[in-house]
Amino acid sequence: MVLGGIAQFFPIGVQAVIIGLYVIIFGLATALLEFQIPPPVPRYASFLFSFIGRGIFYIFVGSILLHDGWPRYVAGSIIAIVGLAYVALEFIPSIEPPQNMRDADAGWGAEQI
């Protein structure tokens, strides 16, 4: 995702820079979630802790990149295909989510009072 965001900067324009920054931030946030989960993330981005939610997020980010030149088409297509794979994993009952997706399984309203 980060490389796709960097490719978004060229040719330089206001819209390209803004979209590129968003894609880079999405990529860095996704990478962070693979290693550690900050406490507010499960509350405000709980969709990232299910296969279908993460898959739709990847498809969204991939679709942002699909325009203007082959580097963006390649990056966007790879990200979207990974998103489709995540969505498909949701419907295979024998595959369980990895530990970093189960850590935040409590979801909305599960905090202790």
Side-chain angles (χ1 to χ4, degrees), residues 29-59:
T30 303
L32 175 69
L33 289 178
E34 292 298 327
F35 299 109
Q36 66 178 348
I37 301 171
V41 173
R43 180 174 175 95
Y44 297 109
S46 60
F47 63 91
L48 291 174
F49 297 99
S50 71
F51 283 133
I52 198 161
R54 192 174 285 197
I56 291 172
F57 176 71
Y58 276 46
I59 293 168

Side-chain angles (χ1 to χ4, degrees), residues 71-87:
R72 294 183 198 145
Y73 281 116
V74 170
S77 297
I78 291 171
I79 294 168
I81 289 169
V82 170
L84 289 173
Y86 269 121
V87 171

Side-chain angles (χ1 to χ4, degrees), residues 21-35:
L21 288 174
Y22 270 107
V23 173
I24 290 171
I25 290 169
F26 289 157
L28 293 174
T30 303
L32 175 69
L33 289 178
E34 292 298 327
F35 299 109

Side-chain angles (χ1 to χ4, degrees), residues 61-81:
V61 173
S63 68
I64 289 174
L65 295 173
L66 289 176
H67 69 89
D68 281 345
W70 71 268
R72 294 183 198 145
Y73 281 116
V74 170
S77 297
I78 291 171
I79 294 168
I81 289 169

